[in-house]
């Protein structure tokens, strides 16, 4: 975002008109919105704006939204007018926001890096002491929060996933399963632990430089990130999975080298109990899979992780030992 401006009752005494203040642009786009107390519909009258919306709120009030590209460093004030309105109306409010893409190196630069992605929102499916990868056929040592295909159990096969007719994901064709250790909160008054409702979002990122090399996940593919058995802190420089903790209400920037455990996060930032805060764990999975002599990707490994390898920020080619690239 480059600049933002908003004014209320901007054209006092002129019913049905609104004016947003001037905002800096710096070669980007400007989005303008005006809301009127009485005009039933409204349009942006400043040249160069394309109308995105002109509508009646249903209560006799109007809303106008327009957008314009800019090729200079500054724009003037932006005007809108009601196309039909009642005399004796109340105030209007008009806002403008300008934004532009962040500067990036040229495509010939070795550091150039863009990503294509899609996201899957995941509602909770079940909380249960099963882990069909680590502890197939029996109970696991701790409870997991599970998301995705409604076919979770002590043992899971690809056929189970494909036969699922329901899922907690908002992308219905996605029949994958995801699970992580369940979160609990301790109440000192009752001296009880209570399960915390958990939600998830899965991002599938495709680095555009290696788009042609990126392949679908193989059937029956399994991988584990993190170590539920670890009881000691990481040492400086020690290899670790790409996991980090944060509290999103405060928008703290964290990373996997300094905040991959909850203890590290609390030591660095403390723990805020503000109701606007919520706890988030970011888990980035490796993107390169080892293959056999015929080039077929391994579906699993004894430790459920060594068949995978990270590359630096998803911007490097996969190593020869793990040449099969996935999102």
């Amino acid at each position: 975002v480059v600049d933002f401006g908003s004014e209320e009752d901007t054209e006092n005494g002129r019913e049905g008109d609104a004016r947003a203040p001037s905002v800096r642009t710096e070669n980007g786009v400007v989005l303008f919105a005006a809301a009127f107390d009485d005009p039933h519909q409204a349009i942006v009258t400043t040249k160069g704006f394309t109308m995105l919306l002109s509508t009646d709120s249903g209560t006799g009030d109007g809303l106008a939204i327009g957008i314009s590209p800019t090729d200079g460093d500054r724009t003037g004030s932006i005007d809108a007018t009601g196309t039909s309105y009642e005399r004796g109306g109340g105030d209007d409010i008009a806002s403008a926001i300008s934004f532009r893409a962040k500067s990036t190196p040229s495509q010939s630069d070795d550091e150039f890096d863009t990503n294509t992605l899609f996201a899957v929102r995941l509602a909770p499916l079940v909380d249960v002491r099963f882990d069909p990868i680590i502890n197939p056929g029996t109970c696991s040592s701790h409870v997991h929060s599970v998301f995705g295909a409604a076919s979770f159990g002590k043992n899971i096969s690809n056929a189970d996933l494909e036969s699922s007719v329901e899922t907690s994901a908002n992308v219905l064709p996605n029949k994958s399963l995801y699970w992580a250790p369940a979160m609990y909160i301790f109440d000192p008054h009752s001296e009880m632990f209570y399960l915390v409702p958990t939600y998830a979002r899965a991002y599938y990122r495709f680095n555009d430089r290696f788009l042609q090399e990126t392949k679908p996940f193989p059937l029956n593919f399994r991988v584990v990130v993190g170590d539920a058995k670890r009881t000691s802190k990481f040492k400086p420089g020690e290899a670790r999975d790409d996991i980090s903790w944060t509290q999103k209400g405060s928008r703290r920037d964290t990373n996997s080298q300094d905040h991959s455990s909850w203890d590290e996060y609390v030591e660095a930032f403390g723990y805020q109990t503000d109701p606007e805060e919520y706890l988030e764990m970011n888990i980035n999975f490796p993107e390169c899979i080892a293959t056999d002599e015929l080039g077929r990707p391994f579906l699993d490994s004894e430790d459920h992780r060594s068949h995978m390898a990270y590359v630096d920020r998803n911007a490097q080619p996969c190593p020869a030992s793990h040449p099969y690239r996935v999102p």
Side-chain angles (χ1 to χ4, degrees), residues 134-204:
I134 302 296
N135 306 109
T138 186
C139 287
S140 63
S141 60
H142 51 270
V143 176
H144 290 94
S145 295
V146 185
F147 315 88
S151 58
F152 192 73
K154 297 178 181 179
N155 295 288
I156 292 294
S157 67
N158 188 70
D160 295 326
L161 298 179
E162 289 187 335
S163 63
S164 297
V165 295
E166 295 182 346
T167 178
S168 68
N170 70 324
V171 179
L172 299 182
N174 179 12
K175 297 185 176 182
S176 300
L177 270 168
Y178 315 79
W179 61 94
M183 292 288 296
Y184 286 82
I185 189 169
F186 178 72
D187 179 13
H189 300 290
S190 64
E191 297 186 345
M192 296 284 289
F193 287 90
Y194 294 90
L195 190 66
V196 177
T198 308
Y199 298 84
R201 181 172 293 185
Y203 293 89
Y204 292 86

Side-chain angles (χ1 to χ4, degrees), residues 225 240-243 284-288 308-312 319:
V225 170
R240 58 177 80 182
D241 289 330
D242 193 349
I243 299 173
N284 290 301
F285 282 80
E287 51 272 86
C288 301
M308 296 290 293
Y310 285 103
V311 289
D312 184 22

Side-chain angles (χ1 to χ4, degrees), residues 52-246:
L52 300 180
L53 179 68
S54 177
T55 185
D56 186 336
S57 67
T59 60
D61 301 330
L63 176 66
I65 300 177
I67 192 168
S68 174
T70 60
D71 54 8
D73 291 334
R74 194 166 183 81
T75 183
S77 57
I78 307 165
D79 298 310
T81 187
T83 57
S84 60
Y85 55 91
E86 302 171 1
R87 295 288 178 183
D91 296 341
D92 55 72
I93 185 169
S95 302
I97 184 171
S98 58
F99 48 94
R100 62 183 173 87
K102 289 184 177 180
S103 298
T104 58
S106 64
Q107 191 160 354
S108 60
D109 194 311
D110 290 339
E111 297 297 321
F112 181 71
D113 179 39
T114 59
N115 287 279
T116 301
L117 64 84
F118 70 89
V120 181
R121 293 196 299 271
L122 298 156
L125 179 68
V126 67
D127 297 288
V128 64
R129 277 186 60 188
F130 291 160
D131 187 333
I133 293 181
I134 302 296
N135 306 109
T138 186
C139 287
S140 63
S141 60
H142 51 270
V143 176
H144 290 94
S145 295
V146 185
F147 315 88
S151 58
F152 192 73
K154 297 178 181 179
N155 295 288
I156 292 294
S157 67
N158 188 70
D160 295 326
L161 298 179
E162 289 187 335
S163 63
S164 297
V165 295
E166 295 182 346
T167 178
S168 68
N170 70 324
V171 179
L172 299 182
N174 179 12
K175 297 185 176 182
S176 300
L177 270 168
Y178 315 79
W179 61 94
M183 292 288 296
Y184 286 82
I185 189 169
F186 178 72
D187 179 13
H189 300 290
S190 64
E191 297 186 345
M192 296 284 289
F193 287 90
Y194 294 90
L195 190 66
V196 177
T198 308
Y199 298 84
R201 181 172 293 185
Y203 293 89
Y204 292 86
R205 298 179 183 272
F206 304 80
N207 185 281
D208 291 347
R209 183 186 295 177
F210 306 106
L211 199 58
Q212 297 300 319
E213 304 169 22
T214 304
K215 302 177 179 63
F217 286 97
L219 297 180
N220 284 316
F221 176 74
R222 301 173 181 219
V223 62
V224 171
V225 170
D227 185 359
K229 296 181 180 179
R230 187 180 183 95
T231 58
S232 60
K233 293 182 179 180
F234 287 97
K235 298 177 181 178
E238 183 180 358
R240 58 177 80 182
D241 289 330
D242 193 349
I243 299 173
S244 61
W245 292 83
T246 190

Side-chain angles (χ1 to χ4, degrees), residues 13-88:
R14 295 178 56 190
E15 298 173 81
D17 293 332
R19 171 170 289 174
S22 178
V23 291
R24 290 184 300 111
T25 58
E26 297 181 5
N27 299 319
V29 295
V30 174
L31 186 68
F32 167 84
F36 298 86
D37 181 47
D38 278 324
H40 302 302
Q41 286 190 318
I43 58 173
V44 181
T45 55
T46 300
K47 288 185 178 181
F49 276 81
T50 300
M51 290 295 299
L52 300 180
L53 179 68
S54 177
T55 185
D56 186 336
S57 67
T59 60
D61 301 330
L63 176 66
I65 300 177
I67 192 168
S68 174
T70 60
D71 54 8
D73 291 334
R74 194 166 183 81
T75 183
S77 57
I78 307 165
D79 298 310
T81 187
T83 57
S84 60
Y85 55 91
E86 302 171 1
R87 295 288 178 183

